Amino acid sequence: MTTTATPPPPKDLRAFYENPAVPVASGTPRSRRQARMLAAALGPAGDRPRTILDIGCGDGTAAATAAPLLPGHRIIGVDWSQDALRRARTRIPYAVRGELTDGGLPLRAGSADAVLFSEVVEHLVDPDAALDEIRRVLRPGGHLMLSTPNLAAWYNRALLLAGVQPVFSEVSLRGIHGRPGKEVVGHLRLYTARALREFVAASGFEVVRLAGAPFHGVPRPLRPIDKLACARPSLASILLLHARRT
């Protein structure tokens, strides 16, 4: 069965992400989980507030959700979509335009204490260059909080056995083909827990912790199972990874 996605067919990938109809915010519950992990890693601001970059901040919802859990620290949203930045500036004090490739971020090396990288890596053509740039702007020992959908989520394993395209995976930017769901969101790459650990470690980071989070798109009757799956990140819907720059 084929369904038609909400956004109209894009001319190219950049046009797709500049389309206001394309979702630019992830779920609030997992944004809170990620912020709590970062708050525990950073500790109280005290006399030395930390600089936190929310790279791929979208409409600023995730940064605004994290801010109350990170009092005293400075959160700067970064995105290359002008439409997303206009919306982000209504929610957070600082939002700047920047790209992980094509010249890099408008920040000096070692200027950030932490990076929030929420539901971004799955959208990238060149994730290796992206992590190189994140490593550049982080100080030694700085924190990376990365979240991404899990290719091996518990229901995706069952879907593959049934010959169905896994949730989160996409074969087109113009419509949904062969998988459940109603929205095209532009996923280009997907990771299992093992692949994500290995990829981040190979990029010059030490993996500190990998946790699971639920997915808001799971049908309501199945949400209790989805929450239980978070106890085993390899089965969870969303992977939350904490790593430190070596």
Side-chain angles (χ1 to χ4, degrees):
M1 178 179 179
T2 300
T3 60
T4 302
T6 301
K11 295 179 180 178
D12 54 37
L13 195 60
R14 183 175 291 271
F16 175 83
Y17 288 116
E18 288 286 6
N19 187 340
V22 174
V24 292
S26 58
T28 298
R30 62 181 176 271
S31 295
R32 288 199 188 100
R33 286 188 182 214
Q34 196 172 38
R36 289 191 188 102
M37 289 171 67
L38 180 55
L42 290 177
D47 296 330
R48 186 182 177 273
R50 269 65 166 188
T51 297
I52 302 164
L53 305 179
D54 183 4
I55 297 178
C57 67
D59 65 5
T61 298
T65 299
L69 301 172
L70 297 159
H73 298 302
R74 182 174 65 159
I75 302 178
I76 302 172
V78 183
D79 209 294
W80 61 256
S81 167
Q82 295 286 15
D83 177 74
L85 286 171
R86 279 192 292 270
R87 287 180 275 170
R89 288 175 182 134
T90 67
R91 294 181 171 93
I92 54 178
Y94 309 103
V96 299
R97 192 174 189 278
E99 301 192 37
L100 287 165
T101 55
D102 298 330
L105 299 169
L107 298 156
R108 68 181 186 277
S111 60
D113 297 285
V115 165
L116 290 169
F117 202 44
S118 306
E119 327 289 294
V120 177
V121 70
E122 65 270 15
H123 298 271
L124 300 179
V125 174
D126 191 349
D128 301 281
L131 258 65
D132 287 346
E133 180 64 1
I134 289 173
R135 190 174 186 276
R136 182 188 71 80
V137 299
L138 275 174
R139 65 169 175 79
H143 302 275
L144 169 63
M145 296 290 176
L146 183 157
S147 65
T148 191
N150 182 9
L151 175 60
W154 60 276
Y155 42 80
N156 279 345
R157 299 182 186 214
L159 290 172
L160 275 171
L161 285 174
V164 177
Q165 188 84 5
V167 175
F168 309 125
S169 66
E170 295 184 325
V171 299
S172 170
L173 293 178
R174 298 180 178 179
I176 303 297
H177 304 286
R179 70 160 174 86
K182 297 180 180 179
E183 290 182 326
V184 176
V185 291
H187 290 175
L188 304 180
R189 301 181 183 276
L190 288 175
Y191 300 80
T192 64
R194 177 177 175 177
L196 186 64
R197 281 180 175 273
E198 291 184 4
F199 167 61
V200 171
S203 300
F205 294 86
E206 177 189 359
V207 176
V208 177
R209 181 188 174 194
L210 185 66
F215 174 49
H216 64 272
V218 170
R220 190 173 296 276
L222 298 177
R223 289 179 186 177
I225 299 174
D226 198 40
K227 289 181 179 179
L228 286 173
C230 293
R232 292 190 63 185
S234 62
L235 296 175
S237 286
I238 306 295
L239 301 171
L240 302 178
L241 182 138
H242 172 204
R244 300 191 69 175
R245 181 199 186 281
T246 56

